[in-house]
Amino acid sequence: MEMQTRKEANTTVATITGRLDAVTAPEYEKAINELIAGGEIAFVVDFEGLDYISSAGLRALLATAKKLKVKGGQIRFANVKGTVKEVFDISGFGTIFQMDDSVAAALARIL
Amino acid sequence: MITVEHLSKKFGELVVLKDITIEIKTGEVISIIGPSGTGKSTFLRCLNLLDQPSGGSICIDGVNILDAKADVPKIRQKMNMVFQSFNLFSHLSVLENLTIAPIKLRGMNRQDAEQKSLELLKLVGLAEKADSYPDELSGGQKQRVAIARCLAMDPEIILFDEPTSALDPTMVSEVLSVIRRLAKEGLTMVIVTHEMDFARDVSSRVLYMDEGLIYEEGTPQQIFEDPQKEKTRAFINRVRSFNCQISSPDYDLYAMNAEIEAFCEKQILPRKTRQNLLLLVEELLQIYTPFLQTTLLDMTLSYSEKKESLELVLESPGETVNPLDISLQPDELGLNIINSLAGSIDYQRVGNKNRLTLLMKKS
């Protein structure tokens, strides 16, 4: 997995590509946690380039989302589709997280 | 008719036949099936002494043909062989190919030999090719001539060594139909073949050979529909397997993924199936990770080409525990994914091992 981040107004857009699995999930969690520790509380995660996610990846998403909630922050997911979307649906994540069809749509909904 | 006991054959250090014991009765049609290199052809060649057995005995009508005093040419007349590569005499016409042995070995007069040979050529549908030369015939026609040549010696038994393996697929059926006809007429035959449908139809008994042994034998129904032993089942269902052992919680997921991908590539499995399989394996390994501190995990992935099914078997020694037990999981995420990808999940305690068998849903 690779992650690139950019700032759009007060929101951090994190673009992740490749695989979010047992090996890479800790990297994702660490990177987002560092941003949270640096004071970022609004995130849009762009899944456009993500080909694979396992339960380890889902747990990392959940853990960072919980951390943000405690801080009064928010996170939205954009471009969740294909096999990644299927795994979201199987595990019921589709209803837990706020998802949008594009990064722009997600940014527009960040409060 | 033929009693083979404890037959063995070595080529130098290589043991090809370990211990073959079988009785072949008059009128039986026996098909020998099994993977390449398991001694099927060697067994046939030992039966008519084209290869000298290393041990055991072969008795034909009570006479041990491995006895030094045995009359080998006479034995070969009783027990003729059809080869994969026809082995016709290319400088002789079709008719001469059939008449040469009866005239030279049995002292038959030319006129009788030719008359009989023409009848046999009719039987295999090649009477009009009597004056042709082997080079003028197709592969299927050559093999039918070879069968007629065998019959010209009035053998009591015919050994067929992969009679259709060298043929273009379009010519296989013409040869098989001749063999079927001979089977109906009650000729005793032993046929090494990879033509499974043919073996199922024509045989009175099927031998599955593996590891230099008759690994399993039975009626075609028993062997093809309800094989009892693991290797027979794998062969009949055209199962290809990939096995790996995981001995540490720090296993290399990507190296394993690469091996599984390579296995899927070989079986030409669709991309979606591969993705689902990789996900299923990762979820299972995550669930097994706590156990890997103290135990080994043996994982076998099997693809049945016949059933188009993928099966995963995970075995680990240790205390009786179903690793998928919900009370052992930190959450339901992994289990939900596994349940959605697997069509069936079965846990069994086998000996001192916990065995999970998962059949993947078809994607």
Side-chain angles (χ1 to χ4, degrees):
Chain A
M1 182 212 63
E2 283 193 26
M3 183 192 289
Q4 289 189 325
T5 58
R6 68 177 195 273
K7 203 71 188 275
E8 296 269 351
N10 292 325
T11 303
T12 300
V13 178
T15 303
I16 52 175
T17 53
R19 300 167 54 90
L20 200 52
D21 55 26
V23 177
T24 57
E27 295 168 22
Y28 168 87
E29 208 172 326
K30 182 168 176 266
I32 298 289
N33 283 345
E34 280 172 5
L35 289 164
I36 295 170
E40 303 295 338
I41 57 162
F43 288 86
V44 170
V45 183
D46 182 5
F47 284 75
E48 176 80 48
L50 196 74
D51 321 307
Y52 176 97
I53 192 164
S54 66
S55 67
L58 295 177
R59 284 190 197 95
L61 297 179
L62 198 60
T64 48
K66 277 183 181 167
K67 193 163 265 186
L68 270 173
K69 198 172 180 185
V70 171
K71 301 224 170 197
Q74 57 179 321
I75 190 163
R76 298 188 75 92
F77 297 155
N79 297 316
V80 178
K81 48 196 173 189
T83 52
V84 174
K85 172 82 163 52
E86 284 172 23
V87 178
F88 267 65
D89 291 341
I90 291 165
S91 46
F93 265 48
T95 54
I96 298 174
F97 288 102
Q98 294 173 308
M99 301 210 274
D100 301 288
D101 293 340
S102 68
V103 172
L107 284 170
R109 291 192 177 95
I110 289 274
L111 300 172
Chain B
M1 181 184 192
I2 302 178
T3 308
V4 178
E5 285 183 328
H6 306 298
L7 182 75
S8 63
K9 174 65 184 171
K10 288 182 198 168
F11 292 100
E13 292 298 302
L14 181 70
V15 180
V16 179
L17 299 177
K18 282 184 192 158
D19 183 0
I20 305 275
T21 295
I22 183 179
E23 196 174 342
I24 301 167
K25 297 191 181 91
T26 304
E28 273 198 297
V29 177
I30 296 180
S31 289
I32 305 179
I33 60 169
S36 299
T38 47
K40 305 183 297 295
S41 295
T42 303
F43 174 51
L44 281 199
R45 294 175 66 81
C46 282
L47 276 184
N48 75 349
L49 304 180
L50 285 176
D51 282 330
Q52 188 65 29
S54 308
S57 66
I58 302 170
C59 290
I60 301 180
D61 298 331
V63 177
N64 184 3
I65 65 169
L66 299 184
D67 192 316
K69 293 173 198 154
D71 183 350
V72 173
K74 200 164 185 185
I75 291 159
R76 292 214 182 102
Q77 286 178 32
K78 281 187 179 181
M79 190 160 44
N80 223 329
M81 189 152 173
V82 173
F83 299 89
Q84 186 178 337
S85 50
F86 329 127
N87 295 7
L88 297 178
F89 297 113
S90 59
H91 64 292
L92 298 180
S93 70
V94 165
L95 189 66
E96 288 163 344
N97 261 281
L98 265 69
T99 55
I100 185 169
I103 292 171
K104 295 213 167 180
L105 295 175
R106 302 182 80 186
M108 196 184 261
N109 72 56
R110 180 168 301 275
Q111 197 182 351
D112 288 350
E114 286 186 352
Q115 193 184 339
K116 186 177 180 193
S117 297
L118 283 169
E119 282 167 17
L120 290 170
L121 285 173
K122 258 187 214 163
L123 178 77
V124 298
L126 289 172
E128 83 281 12
K129 298 287 183 186
D131 296 325
S132 300
Y133 280 81
D135 287 349
E136 298 167 322
L137 305 178
S138 70
Q141 289 171 333
K142 282 181 198 171
Q143 194 60 298
R144 284 189 279 154
V145 171
I147 293 170
R149 184 178 62 175
C150 244
L151 295 168
M153 290 298 283
D154 288 324
E156 291 175 19
I157 177 168
I158 300 189
L159 312 176
F160 289 89
D161 187 10
E162 300 194 27
T164 58
S165 295
L167 299 179
D168 186 299
T170 56
M171 295 170 187
V172 169
S173 63
E174 64 187 76
V175 172
L176 295 185
S177 66
V178 167
I179 302 173
R180 274 180 221 273
R181 195 164 162 188
L182 299 178
K184 274 188 194 156
E185 287 178 9
L187 195 69
T188 312
M189 299 194 281
V190 180
I191 309 162
V192 170
T193 184
H194 289 289
E195 299 285 341
M196 295 298 131
D197 290 340
F198 168 73
R200 181 201 290 250
D201 290 352
V202 82
S203 315
S204 49
R205 193 152 47 120
V206 179
L207 313 182
Y208 173 73
M209 275 186 73
D210 207 328
E211 301 175 345
L213 298 165
I214 296 171
Y215 184 83
E216 188 169 350
E217 65 167 289
T219 63
Q221 195 174 12
Q222 285 167 337
I223 295 295
F224 288 104
E225 282 163 35
D226 191 23
Q228 297 300 304
K229 291 180 148 182
E230 195 182 329
K231 286 195 173 180
T232 321
R233 276 202 294 270
F235 182 81
I236 295 297
N237 293 322
R238 298 197 293 277
V239 175
R240 307 276 179 275
S241 299
F242 161 75
N243 175 270
C244 64
Q245 272 206 340
I246 301 139
S247 55
S248 151
D250 302 318
Y251 56 86
D252 185 343
L253 178 67
Y254 291 168
M256 193 174 306
N257 280 354
E259 289 189 79
I260 293 171
E261 288 247 40
F263 173 79
C264 293
E265 187 87 32
K266 267 192 197 164
Q267 317 310 321
I268 324 174
L269 299 182
R271 187 159 176 260
K272 181 73 183 153
T273 306
R274 296 180 205 188
Q275 283 176 335
N276 286 349
L277 178 61
L278 291 176
L279 182 57
L280 181 61
V281 169
E282 183 186 334
E283 296 305 338
L284 288 164
L285 291 180
Q286 282 280 293
I287 280 174
Y288 269 93
T289 297
F291 300 99
L292 293 172
Q293 300 280 2
T294 53
T295 189
L296 277 176
L297 173 63
D298 192 68
M299 183 173 76
T300 305
L301 171 62
S302 306
Y303 176 66
S304 164
E305 194 184 326
K306 192 175 170 191
K307 296 180 182 169
E308 293 185 350
S309 64
L310 260 172
E311 187 185 74
L312 259 176
V313 177
L314 297 99
E315 279 192 335
S316 52
E319 286 175 24
T320 303
V321 60
N322 179 353
L324 298 187
D325 189 329
I326 184 80
S327 65
L328 302 171
Q329 314 306 324
D331 54 43
E332 293 182 14
L333 286 177
L335 276 186
N336 285 345
I337 294 174
I338 290 167
N339 286 328
S340 76
L341 296 174
S344 72
I345 302 173
D346 177 55
Y347 166 78
Q348 279 187 334
R349 180 76 179 170
V350 180
N352 68 336
K353 289 180 176 172
N354 298 303
R355 180 192 289 170
L356 268 182
T357 305
L358 298 97
L359 193 65
M360 271 197 73
K361 271 186 194 161
K362 287 182 183 169
S363 48

